[in-house]
Amino acid sequence: MQHRTIGGRAVSAIGLGGMPMSIEGRPDRDRSIATIHAALDAGVTLIDTADAYHLHADEVGHNEELIAAALRSYGGDTSGVLVATKGGHLRPGDGSWTKDGRPEYLKEAVKASAKRLGVEAIGLYQFHRPDPNVPYGDSVGAIRDLLDEGVIELAGISNANPDQIREANDILGGRLVSVQNQFSPRFRSSLPELELCAQLGIAFLPWSPLGGIALARSGELGTEYAAFLEVAEAHGVSPFRVTLAWELALAPVVVPIPGASRPESVQDSAQAADLTLTDDEVARLSAAGA
């Protein structure tokens, strides 16, 4: 597995997104644990989660607890695994997603996440989504305080625009290490954020890098974006692997975090780190569907 850097810490070039194992359509616990173990076997050392990755109102932190259990039960060394979690997004249990960016809420949420993960300090904590009812600087200020107090080791943000990235980095005193935004062949509007992160040396973590759970599960990515299928056939690999390799080729700060709920999926995704695309292929894929 190739490696990239988040805040000076080396992580696998391909991470694992935990959300599909805890929301609608989630697999049973045994298969989820097997999926996480398969990721570790494949050399994945970045696992992304959030306290809001759950289905019912009474199971906040379902995914965090699942990941903690998988790490505890894994037979190998997990000391090099960076678990990234998020706070500020909530699921009241009716299928909706709400926001709470109040500093006092975030400071309580991070403590609950640390307890569920079984750690004294969270490796990477990310403000999940801007709250229109709370000044952005106030929310990020809470993350700064947590960083200063050693409650978290690294600080990131998610679903941010370029101005928010600059503001967050300023508030954090240049210590913003990651930005997690949606980015895929289908969703490319975060390209300015990716390019800004590349300029600033901040890790860019594409969520839903394969176009979303529905597209990934249906296997229609190659059908909807023919260029990805054609390049995949030329290399004898899946369109999913080509998609992740393309994202890696866009900038050295990119670390995709594809979600998975089956061991086979994460094994295929992990191999994208070893797939080298030509400059012409990257340009062709970048133009496809744009």
Side-chain angles (χ1 to χ4, degrees):
M1 172 68 75
Q2 302 295 319
H3 288 82
R4 295 203 165 178
T5 303
I6 298 179
R9 182 164 174 176
V11 298
S12 54
I14 299 292
L16 169 65
M19 188 173 75
M21 290 179 273
S22 291
I23 64 167
E24 289 82 355
R26 66 190 186 191
D28 61 42
R29 182 180 176 85
D30 288 345
R31 196 175 92 186
S32 292
I33 295 292
T35 299
I36 298 167
H37 286 177
L40 297 171
D41 287 342
V44 170
T45 59
L46 172 65
I47 302 178
D48 179 77
T49 182
D51 58 3
Y53 293 166
H54 62 89
L55 190 56
H56 307 295
D58 61 351
E59 56 173 21
V60 174
H62 177 277
N63 197 246
E64 292 175 325
E65 292 178 341
L66 184 67
I67 288 168
L71 291 173
R72 286 194 303 268
S73 62
Y74 185 63
D77 181 15
T78 60
S79 61
V81 176
L82 176 63
V83 177
T85 192
K86 300 180 286 294
H89 221 358
L90 302 89
R91 299 203 77 187
D94 60 0
S96 66
W97 296 76
T98 60
K99 308 175 188 71
D100 192 340
R102 292 175 300 128
E104 59 270 28
Y105 170 77
L106 291 171
K107 290 182 179 182
E108 289 302 315
V110 73
K111 295 176 184 177
S113 288
K115 183 177 181 180
R116 286 187 291 265
L117 291 169
V119 298
E120 293 186 4
I122 290 177
L124 171 58
Y125 194 71
Q126 305 155 101
F127 178 39
H128 203 153
R129 188 177 289 271
D131 182 348
N133 297 315
V134 179
Y136 193 68
D138 290 354
S139 300
V140 177
I143 306 299
R144 176 200 58 214
D145 293 346
L146 294 168
L147 188 61
D148 289 343
E149 295 165 9
V151 179
I152 64 176
E153 297 175 355
L154 299 170
I157 55 176
S158 183
N159 301 297
N161 62 38
D163 287 342
Q164 290 167 334
I165 293 172
R166 294 187 181 94
E167 180 181 1
N169 197 38
D170 183 59
I171 291 171
L172 290 165
R175 294 177 294 170
L176 179 67
V177 302
S178 66
V179 173
Q180 183 179 146
N181 276 20
Q182 185 176 11
F183 185 82
S184 68
R186 170 182 279 180
F187 190 95
R188 306 190 190 200
S189 63
S190 284
L191 186 59
E193 288 82 5
L194 187 160
E195 293 173 340
L196 177 59
C197 285
Q199 294 171 14
L200 298 175
I202 296 169
F204 183 84
L205 316 180
W207 63 264
S208 287
L210 300 175
I213 294 174
L215 187 63
R217 286 177 174 169
S218 69
E220 294 179 359
L221 187 151
T223 302
E224 189 167 330
Y225 299 95
F228 286 82
L229 178 60
E230 291 164 3
V231 172
E233 291 176 341
H235 285 271
V237 300
S238 72
F240 304 112
R241 201 182 304 182
V242 167
T243 299
L244 297 173
W246 165 66
E247 291 167 2
L248 288 172
L250 294 178
V253 298
V254 176
V255 185
I257 46 173
S261 60
R262 297 183 300 115
E264 297 82 4
S265 298
V266 74
Q267 289 163 350
D268 184 69
S269 292
Q271 294 182 68
D274 296 319
L275 176 60
T276 301
L277 302 176
T278 67
D279 291 343
D280 287 344
E281 288 173 330
V282 173
R284 180 182 173 192
L285 296 173
S286 294

